């Protein structure tokens, strides 16, 4: 249903830790692989071995550099994965004329019902986060499903009922859980680390949160004070003299 | 935003069509038949005769129907699954696209009934004048009213599709709705004038009035558009690369590597960027075509009625061409916030 | 109702099999889901010790590799010119018969005329042994152009090394320094580790000209100038020395810091370690004021001073020599700051921070243990400063010494295999250096007396002829590159073409893209492969057999192409005798099992190699009656072959009933057990044996029981390398085996018993910029580009540079520029990246492709926009005074010096 469901207590989503993301693209490819062969697939790749390969991806990894305000600090390189944020009040759902684009009442996952989609692409225009992709080949809109076909899948072991991208991430920078539950591990993580929303000014209320890079302890933050206070007599011409009368044992 | 021909074609043609239908509907409601030829009312108190209706209406209704229908089909071409288009009628409670569909289809009801009313007697002379006159007398005005409302509503919904998109600053603003409405009226008026000239009924006072209507609409559209352009040139979307990534807290954000080295759906669809100088040129051209040209020829025509047909042709050509350019720019100049993730300086 | 057809409980596939990934050399455990006989989904195996369930981009894209259109499908025989890529498909019998004739003639006449080199290989335990049985000295794997500097520097100093043979103590380290690492072989373990330690709040310092990937998440980025790490590390050492930030107890207990070194200028014993009659190294015991065996207990060794030996000679402790070296002005922080582009303050601060963590934040692990001398300790002291280094250090001509310097730094901090520091991964540590020497003489049955690769211990072990000329085609183990422990694959094609030191008959390449991204000077390399002898009209390299699974660039240059399977279609063995996948707490090995059967006429190369061996009648590959010994192919060999009694390729479940581990007679059911155990075996290091492995009795006993070490004697870390000094002495005219005069100077200079820094011989004037490459985490060398998913991430590569560097050259973001070395120039597109050190240019490695390769369309960006830096990297150094040109490599180990490249840059006309 294209009307948004009444905000439900359960808000499943991802928490992505930009502090440890090394930009390896593992999440993006794992996502592509899981969904390409699954019920939301295929994720078409137009001329895959040619001049302008054009594929559908639900998850893409950017690289940014940040020129720090506090001068003196070196520029930072930040890797930034981007997928559907499963917003609470997203226009991608309300603009849909067919009801194909909908938000699940039970857990807030935003999905596209490909059998209803007419491929008008209006939802892609309405998404502020570039999470929806369309390919001529299939003529329907596709997007991150939060691996809805994994997270409840009883044919998988309990521990494997997680999004493919989360399971793949080699630095464990991706976390999945219920952001509606203040006591969930993800909610705690967000509280602890100051997790934030992307483009809050859009008013879509993203469920997914990003954890900011931790304060970099470079330059200024020197722990060396303690080490300095060693009572070493630097006046001696050469340390060799100090060492001559060092008594050691083995 | 990438200007998609099918969409531009659709909005211009159907816009013009609905403009024309609005004028006809409004005319039926407000103008005709009151000025009609003299003659004592008959026993039923009806003073009408078939011929007191300007022929332009019959043709106008057909042309209008043609324009909106072609437009609608063009819009289907843009869909990935046209065969499912009917589903688009279901979500009128939230979706402007759905509402547009509903409104567009609804407008066929008054439209087709009027077409029937005005054409049946011609197609089947058997139907007696009386019955026809009766039907016209009783139905033309209310149907005209309904048609006018449906037409304007449809255009309103069309604009709603764009104005509702918070992601696109150039669309999500107060200038877009009036823009759509007046451009459709301008187009409609231009067609209307053309039909008049063709209908050859030069005594018809509405004909004498049309050029002035066109001058007014052309002026309004020009002012609106200038204001709109000033608006999008001087204001921007609140979002920035810093807010899009949330990294603003750390400093200034610059994209180093896009996820993929080649284009993708998003960059193709929303990454279309028009160079400043090009847009300036095209804006000028549009302004001349939909503004200056019709005004100029409307004036000429009203001075030398003999040149009516010349004026009508140029005005129509100018308005349609101008609206195409204007609509193309409407897309080409629009920036989508998502491009902030791909290194866009602003949205 | 929304989504009528949403199936939440759809099974992934109809079958799951476990095996080992081989989209790269990390060799993670994977679960392969099959559906209707096709691979549906590949996921990381949570039960696997290497990746613990995670999987990288390459691993997930394995499915596209497995079904790549670029897969070879039948043996190919060249019909056109070399390089043209015109072939005729032939049957396996014809192919093997042909190979057998070529190789048969060689073996009968002179086995050395076969040059058998393998690149991206995991079967060195087999290929090396095969070469030994064939009897050629001309065998090597890819280490020579890869990272032999890390291996050699480590093995000749610690008996272990960085690379994939050791790891930081991910659970305990508080301070990690990463020198020149972009991805490394331990791709997933390193990422898991980094994620872990960041969570713990340990500080990470990345020393790297480029800030991406791992460096991006580091706390501190030190954008060093390429090739100058030796200065930076030298300065750190000086700081430690000045402030006494040194673990002296550790030094005298576990290193040879206190060993007495003879001072006898110009004499044959100068710089050698003083020994007693029983050949025990001596140290100066302060309590008795006598020279006593350095390995002795309850003595008080001097670390500085000059002492008179019983025989009257004078000697000084090794530590003093080391200190004198690094206290020198050339290693002072303010001297080096300018050269390496790191401020004096930063150098001093980093030294202080390391010292603070090592000594003020030391770890005391309540774990009783017994050292190799039988002394009980009730806790394990940890110096939680760890280091990891890779090709940023290795791929320079000064990499061996720079890496040795890093190990020196670790020793001074007492930070080798202690809680929180660098840790050995079993089977390491081994003796310094490991015992096995390269084989050099052929036995009567034509086999070599030992494997062709090994560790040269003394000049006598070199492979040189009577005149001191190289005996190997790649000149490894010659006076030019004496410690080339992994051979020098990068020199083979040129030398074979030039007939220097001698012409060969057949070049047999396996899994090495030598026609492209794995060669320096790529274009000339291709012409050498195609060059004909004007006299005979024959190709100067008469025969070229190549084994690949995909249509790589090199395929086009082969005479005979033997198509391999994909990694999902064969048995493989990840053996402890090869490049192990162990971690610091477990010794592990693994297998690969076929999860899909080939839909093409291809065969696993290992099977083919054993088949060839049998056809050639090679000892060990046929029964007494001449019948093939391993008709079951590699799977049978993995189980039945014994290197030494009870020692085979796989360590797990040996013995008839599978009850023995490490050593034990073959177990016919071994493979089934592996398959039932996620395709790997591992043995946990006992709790009390997890640190101080080099001198931990429990560890050494455990390691000996598994056949990793020969004895339980302590392994002494070599702060001072007497072994290198012996080569220097030879260069100076001492000893039985001496270099020819033209090599003396070079040997004497570079065989310094103590690490030192030197600039490379690359022409630097007129070429102000350094140009380097980085591994993209999402691609593996050449082969990612055939992968429909991976190539979308980068179908082309750019030249990244700091905006400062750019403006200095009037280059704007996105400009096309010429990058020109003394050797060649390429036209590339520049892109700004502030996280690149000024003066450095870099790009992703191996993205550019040769038209026609990898089944890419001719207008693919890889062919038109992408580029290889290799085109501008010369494979030779500028000529010596007498015109001789050495390979562009480290003079000690022969490691290819990829990153010494110097270039200049100028704006080029824009893309047409
Ligand atoms: N400029 C520059 N050049 C470099 C480097 C650098 O840093 N910069 N790095 C160097 C280093 S460290 C290395 S190790 C080399 C790369 O070392 P190489 O070993 O040359 O790696 P590849 O270039 O990938 O070549 C491996 C070949 O094996 C093939 N192959 C893949 N899978 C299989 C299989 O299952 N069976 C068989 N038979 N073949 C297979 C691939 O198709 C490919 O042709 O590159 C070197 N070149
Ligand atoms: N994804 C992926 N993983 C791989 C490979 C692959 O092709 N793809 N290849 C595998 C192979 S064969 C190998 S050998 C390993 C290599 O593993 P790495 O050593 O990580 O390989 P490189 O990408 O060559 O990394 C070299 C790093 O050193 C930096 N560097 C260059 N010069 C200097 C210097 O002078 N000083 C310092 N401090 N840093 C410097 C470069 O910026 C770069 O970050 O990776 C293995 N893993
Ligand atoms: S897999 Fe993890 S580390 Fe790699 S890009 Fe995705 S989020 Fe970052
Ligand atoms: S990210 Fe985009 S697609 Fe996903 S819910 Fe939000 S608006 Fe919709
Ligand atoms: S593309 Fe499909 S999902 Fe998106 S708005 Fe149109 S119909 Fe709805
Ligand atoms: S949650 Fe599933 S669909 Fe969404 S990005 Fe991750 S893997 Fe892809
Ligand atoms: S790191 Fe290497 S072995 Fe591990 S999953 Fe990735 S490609 Fe496979
Ligand atoms: Mo390598």
């Amino acid at each position: 249903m294209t009307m948004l469901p009444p905000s439900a207590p359960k808000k499943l989503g991802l928490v992505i830790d930009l502090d440890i993301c090394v930009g390896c693209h593992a999440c993006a490819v794992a996502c592509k692989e899981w969904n390409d062969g699954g019920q939301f697939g295929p994720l078409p790749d137009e001329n895959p071995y040619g001049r302008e390969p054009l594929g559908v991806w639900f998850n893409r990894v950017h690289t940014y550099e940040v020129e720090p305000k506090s001068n003196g600090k070196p520029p930072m390189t930040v890797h930034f994965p981007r997928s559907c944020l499963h917003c609470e009040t997203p226009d991608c759902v309300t603009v849909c004329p067919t009801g194909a684009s909908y938000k699940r009442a039970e857990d807030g996952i935003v999905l596209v019902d490909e059998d209803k989609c007419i491929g008008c692409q209006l939802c892609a225009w309405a998404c502020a986060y570039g999470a929806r992709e369309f390919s001529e080949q299939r003529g329907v809109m596709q997007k991150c499903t939060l691996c809805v076909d994994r997270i409840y899948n009883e044919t998988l072991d309990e521990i494997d009922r997680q999004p493919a991208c989360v399971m793949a991430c080699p630095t464990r920078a991706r976390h999945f859980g219920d952001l509606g539950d203040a006591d969930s591990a993800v909610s705690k993580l967000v509280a602890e680390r100051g997790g934030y929303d992307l483009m809050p000014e859009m008013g879509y209320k993203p469920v997914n949160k990003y954890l900011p890079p931790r304060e970099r302890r470079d330059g200024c933050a020197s722990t060396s004070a303690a080490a300095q206070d060693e009572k070493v007599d630097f006046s001696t011409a050469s340390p060799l003299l100090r060492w001559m009368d060092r008594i050691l044992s083995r | 935003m990438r200007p998609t021909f099918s969409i531009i074609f659709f909005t211009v043609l159907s816009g013009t069509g609905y403009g024309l239908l609005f004028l006809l509907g409004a005319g039926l409601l407000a103008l005709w038949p009151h000025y009609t030829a003299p003659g004592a009312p008959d026993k039923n108190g009806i003073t009408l005769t078939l011929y007191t209706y300007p022929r332009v209406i019959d043709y106008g209704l057909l042309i209008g129907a043609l324009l909106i229908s072609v437009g609608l089909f063009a819009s289907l071409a843009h869909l990935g699954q046209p065969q499912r288009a009917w589903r688009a009628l279901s979500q009128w409670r939230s979706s402007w696209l759905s509402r547009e569909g509903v409104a567009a289809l609804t407008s066929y009801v008054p439209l087709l009934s009027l077409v029937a009313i005005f054409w049946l007697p011609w197609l089947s002379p058997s139907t007696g004048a009386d019955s026809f006159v009766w039907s016209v007398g009783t139905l033309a005005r209310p149907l005209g009213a309904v048609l006018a409302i449906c037409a304007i509503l449809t255009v309103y919904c069309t604009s709603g599709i764009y104005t509702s998109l918070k992601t696109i600053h150039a669309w999500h603003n107060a200038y877009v709705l009036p823009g759509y409405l007046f451009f459709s009226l301008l187009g409609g008026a231009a067609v209307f004038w053309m039909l008049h000239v063709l209908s050859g009924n030069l005594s018809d006072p509405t004909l004498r009035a049309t050029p002035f209507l066109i001058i007014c609409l052309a002026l309004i559209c020009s002012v609106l558009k200038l204001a709109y352009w000033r608006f999008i040139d001087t204001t921007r979307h609140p979002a920035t690369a810093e807010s899009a990534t949330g990294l603003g807290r750390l400093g200034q954000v610059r994209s180093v590597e896009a996820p993929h080295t080649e284009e993708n759906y998003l960059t193709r669809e929303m990454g279309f960027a028009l160079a400043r100088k090009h847009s300036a040129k095209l804006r000028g051209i549009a302004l001349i075509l939909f503004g200056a040209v019709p005004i100029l020829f409307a004036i000429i025509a009203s001075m030398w009625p003999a040149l009516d047909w010349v004026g009508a042709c140029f005005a129509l050509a100018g308005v349609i061409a101008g609206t195409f350019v204007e609509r193309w720019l409407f897309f080409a100049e629009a920036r989508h916030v998502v491009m902030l993730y791909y290194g866009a300086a602003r949205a | 109702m929304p989504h009528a057809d949403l199936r939440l409980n759809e099974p992934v596939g109809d079958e799951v099999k476990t095996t080992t990934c081989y989209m790269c050399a990390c060799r993670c455990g994977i679960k392969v889901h099959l559906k209707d006989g096709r691979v549906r989904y590949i996921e990381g195996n949570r039960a696997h010790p290497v990746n613990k369930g995670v999987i990288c981009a390459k691993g997930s894209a394995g499915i596209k590799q497995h079904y790549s259109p670029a897969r070879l499908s039948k043996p190919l025989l060249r019909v056109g010119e070399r390089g043209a890529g015109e072939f005729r498909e032939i049957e396996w019998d014809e192919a093997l018969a042909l190979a057998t004739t070529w190789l048969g003639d060689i073996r009968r006449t002179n086995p050395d005329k076969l040059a058998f080199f393998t690149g991206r290989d995991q079967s060195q335990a087999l290929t090396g042994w095969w070469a030994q049985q064939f009897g050629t000295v001309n065998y090597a794997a890819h280490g020579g152009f890869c990272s032999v500097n890390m291996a050699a520097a480590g093995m000749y100093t610690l008996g272990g090394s960085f690379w994939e043979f050791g790891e930081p103590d991910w659970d305990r380290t508080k301070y990690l320094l990463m020198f020149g690492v972009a991805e490394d072989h331990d791709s997933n373990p390193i990422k898991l580790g980094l994620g872990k330690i960041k969570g713990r709040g340990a500080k990470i310092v990345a020393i790297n000209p480029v800030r991406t990937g791992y460096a991006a998440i580091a706390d501190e980025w030190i954008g060093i100038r390429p090739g100058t790490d030796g200065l930076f590390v030298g300065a750190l050492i000086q700081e430690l020395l000045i402030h006494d930030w040194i673990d002296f107890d550790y030094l005298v207990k576990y290193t040879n810091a206190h060993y007495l070194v003879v001072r006898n200028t110009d004499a044959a014993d100068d710089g050698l370690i003083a020994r007693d009659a029983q050949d025990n190294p001596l140290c100066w015991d302060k309590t008795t004021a006598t020279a006593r065996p350095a390995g002795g207990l309850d003595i008080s060794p001097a670390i500085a001073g000059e002492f008179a030996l019983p025989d009257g000679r004078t000697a000084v402790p090794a530590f003093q020599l080391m200190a004198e070296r690094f206290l020198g002005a050339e290693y002072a922080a303010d001297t080096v700051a300018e050269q390496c582009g790191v401020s004096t303050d930063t150098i001093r601060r980093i030294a202080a921070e390391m010292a603070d963590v090592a000594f003020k934040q030391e770890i005391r692990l309540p774990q009783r243990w017994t050292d190799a001398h039988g002394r009980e300790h009730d806790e394990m002291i940890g110096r939680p400063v760890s280091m990891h280094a890779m090709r940023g250090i290795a791929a320079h001509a000064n990499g061996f010494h720079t890496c040795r310097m890093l190990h020196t730094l670790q020793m001074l901090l007492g930070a080798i295999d202690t809680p929180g520091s660098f840790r050995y991964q079993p089977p390491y540590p081994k003796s310094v250096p490991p015992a096995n020497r390269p084989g050099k003489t052929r036995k009567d049955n034509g086999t070599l007396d030992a494997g062709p690769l090994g560790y040269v211990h003394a000049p006598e072990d070199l492979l040189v002829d009577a005149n001191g000329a190289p005996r190997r085609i790649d000149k490894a183990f010659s006076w030019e590159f004496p410690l080339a422990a992994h051979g020098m694959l990068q020199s083979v094609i040129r030398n074979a073409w030039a007939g220097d030191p001698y012409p060969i008959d057949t070049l047999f390449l396996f899994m090495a893209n030598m026609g492209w991204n794995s060669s320096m000077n790529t274009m000339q390399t291709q012409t050498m492969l195609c060059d004909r002898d004007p006299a005979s009209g024959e190709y100067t390299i008469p025969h070229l057999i190549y084994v690949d699974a995909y249509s790589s660039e090199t395929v086009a240059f082969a005479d005979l192409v033997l198509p391999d399977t994909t990694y999902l279609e064969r048995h493989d063995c990840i053996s402890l005798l090869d490049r192990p996948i162990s971690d610091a707490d477990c010794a592990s090995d693994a297998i690969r099992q076929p999860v899909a059967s080939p839909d093409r006429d291809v065969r696993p190369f290992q099977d083919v190699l054993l088949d060839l061996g049998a056809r050639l009648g090679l000892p060990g590959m046929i029964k007494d009656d001449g019948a093939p010994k391993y008709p079951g192919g590699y799977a049978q060999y993995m189980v039945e072959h014994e290197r030494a009694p009870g020692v085979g390729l796989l360590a797990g479940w040996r013995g008839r009933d599978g009850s023995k581990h490490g050593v034990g007679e073959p177990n016919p059911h071994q493979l089934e057990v592996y398959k039932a155990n996620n395709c790997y075996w591992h043995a946990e290091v006992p709790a009390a044996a997890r640190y101080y492995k080099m001198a931990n009795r429990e560890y050494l006993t455990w390691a000996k029981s598994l056949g990793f070490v020969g004895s339980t004697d302590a392994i002494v870390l070599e702060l001072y390398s007497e072994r290198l000094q012996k080569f220097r002495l030879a260069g100076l005219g001492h000893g039985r085996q001496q270099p020819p005069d033209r090599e003396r100077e070079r040997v004497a200079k570079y065989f310094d018993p103590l690490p030192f820094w030197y600039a490379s011989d690359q022409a630097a004037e007129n070429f102000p910029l350094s140009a380097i490459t980085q591994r993209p985490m999402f691609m593996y060398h050449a082969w990612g580009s055939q992968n429909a998913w991976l190539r979308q991430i980068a179908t082309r590569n750019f030249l990244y540079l700091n905006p400062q560097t750019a403006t200095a050259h009037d280059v704007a973001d996105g400009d096309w520029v010429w990058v020109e070395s003394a050797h060649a120039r390429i036209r590339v597109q520049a892109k700004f990246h502030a996280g690149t050190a000024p003066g450095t240019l870099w790009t992703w490695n191996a993205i550019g492709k040769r038209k026609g390769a990898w089944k890419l369309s001719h207008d693919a960006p890889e062919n038109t926009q992408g580029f290889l830096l290799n085109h501008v990297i010369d494979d030779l150094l500028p000529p010596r005074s007498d015109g001789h040109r050495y390979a562009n490599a480290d003079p000690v180990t022969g490691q290819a010096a990829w990153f010494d490249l110097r270039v200049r840059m100028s704006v080029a006309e824009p893309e047409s």
Side-chain angles (χ1 to χ4, degrees), chain A residues 82-93 101-103 108-112 123-124 126-132 142-144 204-208, chain B residues 167:
Chain A
R82 183 177 50 75
S83 58
C84 176
L85 309 170
H86 298 280
C87 307
E88 286 185 61
T89 55
D91 288 358
C92 64
V93 167
S101 176
Y102 71 105
K103 184 170 176 69
I109 299 178
V110 174
L111 288 178
V112 173
C123 54
C127 171
Y129 307 100
R132 295 177 166 248
Q142 296 181 270
K143 68 176 289 300
C144 159
Y204 288 3
K205 300 227 227 98
V207 168
N208 285 15
Chain B
T167 49

Side-chain angles (χ1 to χ4, degrees), chain C residues 139-193:
Chain C
Y139 162 86
H142 81 297
F145 62 43
C146 181
S147 309
V148 64
N149 269 342
M150 307 317 279
M155 294 306 169
Y156 281 89
T157 308
L158 318 173
S161 82
F162 295 125
W163 197 330
E164 59 197 9
F165 309 113
E167 70 187 32
D169 188 342
W170 299 115
D171 294 317
R172 297 203 166 82
T173 192
K174 298 177 186 170
Y175 197 94
L176 168 66
L177 297 113
M178 285 197 129
F179 291 84
V181 188
E183 168 83 342
D184 206 347
H185 293 91
D186 276 347
S187 309
N188 282 334
I190 289 177
K191 293 189 189 73
L192 282 163

Side-chain angles (χ1 to χ4, degrees), chain B residues 50 53 116-121 127-137:
Chain B
L50 180 57
Y53 272 89
I117 290 169
F118 283 87
W119 283 94
L120 274 176
T127 44
D130 298 0
S131 63
F132 168 72
V133 166
W134 175 84
S135 63
V136 171

Side-chain angles (χ1 to χ4, degrees), chain C residues 449-582:
Chain C
D449 58 348
L453 294 180
Y455 295 89
V456 163
H457 289 225
E460 292 68 24
D461 302 332
L462 292 173
L463 269 85
V464 290
D465 65 17
N467 322 320
R471 264 189 59 195
R472 280 177 60 108
I473 188 68
D474 58 1
K475 303 189 182 179
F477 306 129
S478 76
W479 285 108
E480 292 191 24
F481 305 101
L483 304 189
H486 293 176
M488 294 174 67
L489 176 41
Q490 74 273 21
S491 295
V492 173
I493 292 172
R494 169 175 294 272
N495 295 355
W497 164 78
D500 165 22
Y502 48 77
I504 60 160
D505 176 89
T506 297
L507 178 55
F508 188 0
L509 291 174
F510 166 52
M511 223 193 224
N513 202 11
M514 299 311 294
W516 195 247
N517 57 300
S518 307
S519 288
M520 295 172 163
N521 187 5
T522 308
M523 283 322 184
Q524 272 185 31
T525 303
Q526 292 186 352
T527 54
M528 291 176 205
L529 288 170
C530 301
D531 188 32
R532 292 174 181 277
D533 167 4
S536 66
E538 292 304 314
Y539 283 113
T540 24
I541 303 174
H543 299 122
L544 205 168
I545 306 177
Y546 184 46
V547 185
D548 203 313
Y550 310 99
S551 54
S552 64
E553 281 83 358
T554 305
V555 165
F557 296 89
D559 304 319
L560 178 63
V561 179
L562 303 177
D564 200 353
T565 64
T566 73
Y567 70 108
L568 296 177
E569 297 167 328
R570 64 173 181 251
H571 279 99
D572 267 332
C573 179
I574 295 97
S575 170
L576 281 156
L577 306 178
D578 190 342
R579 292 169 58 179
I581 53 167
S582 311

Side-chain angles (χ1 to χ4, degrees), chain B residues 19 151-153 155-156 159 176-186:
Chain B
I152 217 68
L153 268 181
V155 179
Y156 181 83
S159 71
V176 174
L177 168 61
Y180 268 83
L181 292 178
F182 283 98
F183 269 92
S184 87
L185 290 178
L186 177 59

Side-chain angles (χ1 to χ4, degrees), chain C residues 24-25 58 120 142 146-147 163 178-187 207-210 212 214 222 224-229 389-393 396 579 772-781 842 845 899:
Chain C
C24 96
K58 296 163 273 131
R120 182 82 295 111
H142 81 297
C146 181
S147 309
W163 197 330
M178 285 197 129
F179 291 84
V181 188
E183 168 83 342
D184 206 347
H185 293 91
D186 276 347
S187 309
I207 300 90
N208 196 318
V210 185
T212 55
Y214 304 160
I222 295 179
I224 196 162
R225 182 165 298 132
T228 63
D229 299 71
M390 211 22 202
R391 296 190 60 259
I393 300 301
H396 291 281
R579 292 169 58 179
I772 56 177
T773 56
Q774 294 205 98
R775 301 281 186 273
M777 291 185 183
F778 50 84
M779 282 217 182
Y780 205 61
H781 299 291
W842 73 273
N845 183 43
F899 298 160

Side-chain angles (χ1 to χ4, degrees), chain C residues 113-348:
Chain C
K113 284 194 170 287
L114 165 65
F116 179 31
F117 285 77
T118 85
R120 182 82 295 111
D121 181 22
Q122 301 306 314
S123 305
Q124 294 171 41
L126 170 68
T127 55
W129 174 79
W130 192 94
Q132 179 185 354
Q133 302 311 94
F134 186 92
T136 179
V137 297
N138 291 321
Y139 162 86
H142 81 297
F145 62 43
C146 181
S147 309
V148 64
N149 269 342
M150 307 317 279
M155 294 306 169
Y156 281 89
T157 308
L158 318 173
S161 82
F162 295 125
W163 197 330
E164 59 197 9
F165 309 113
E167 70 187 32
D169 188 342
W170 299 115
D171 294 317
R172 297 203 166 82
T173 192
K174 298 177 186 170
Y175 197 94
L176 168 66
L177 297 113
M178 285 197 129
F179 291 84
V181 188
E183 168 83 342
D184 206 347
H185 293 91
D186 276 347
S187 309
N188 282 334
I190 289 177
K191 293 189 189 73
L192 282 163
L194 291 175
K196 221 190 238 174
I197 70 176
K198 284 219 89 186
R200 277 214 334 274
K203 176 170 178 177
I204 302 175
V205 182
I207 300 90
N208 196 318
V210 185
R211 188 177 208 175
T212 55
Y214 304 160
I217 65 167
D219 284 280
E220 182 155 7
W221 172 54
I222 295 179
I224 196 162
R225 182 165 298 132
T228 63
D229 299 71
L231 292 170
F232 174 66
V233 176
L236 292 176
I237 292 177
Q238 180 170 94
E239 288 297 310
L240 299 187
L241 291 171
I242 290 175
H243 297 92
D244 268 11
W245 290 329
I246 295 165
D247 189 336
F248 289 104
D249 288 335
Y250 184 97
L251 285 176
V252 297
K253 283 201 176 80
Y254 306 113
T255 80
N256 66 2
H258 56 298
Y259 285 23
L260 287 171
V261 177
V262 176
R263 254 196 188 156
N264 194 357
T265 323
D266 299 339
D269 60 354
D270 184 44
L272 296 182
I273 283 166
R275 290 189 157 75
D276 65 13
Q278 295 72 39
D279 210 36
N280 300 310
L282 296 170
C283 73
W284 189 261
D285 174 28
K286 295 178 113 174
T287 35
T288 59
T290 53
R292 297 182 54 185
L297 300 183
D298 311 315
I299 51 172
S300 164
I303 49 154
E306 196 172 63
F307 307 95
L309 297 168
D311 60 19
R313 295 176 303 171
T314 56
V316 294
F319 178 84
Q320 175 168 337
L321 296 174
M322 183 279 305
E324 282 166 350
R325 157 79 39 94
F326 288 102
L327 285 168
E330 64 271 39
Y331 293 108
D334 16 47
T335 323
V336 306
E338 175 58 31
Q339 286 163 279
C340 55
V342 185
S343 80
T344 312
D345 295 350
T346 306
I347 296 170
R348 297 222 163 99

Side-chain angles (χ1 to χ4, degrees), chain A residues 39 48 77 160 244 250, chain C residues 7 46 211 286 298 791:
Chain A
Q39 63 174 295
T77 305
D160 287 337
M244 299 243 179
R250 65 158 274 139
Chain C
R7 298 173 311 258
R46 187 175 280 104
R211 188 177 208 175
K286 295 178 113 174
D298 311 315
R791 79 177 282 259

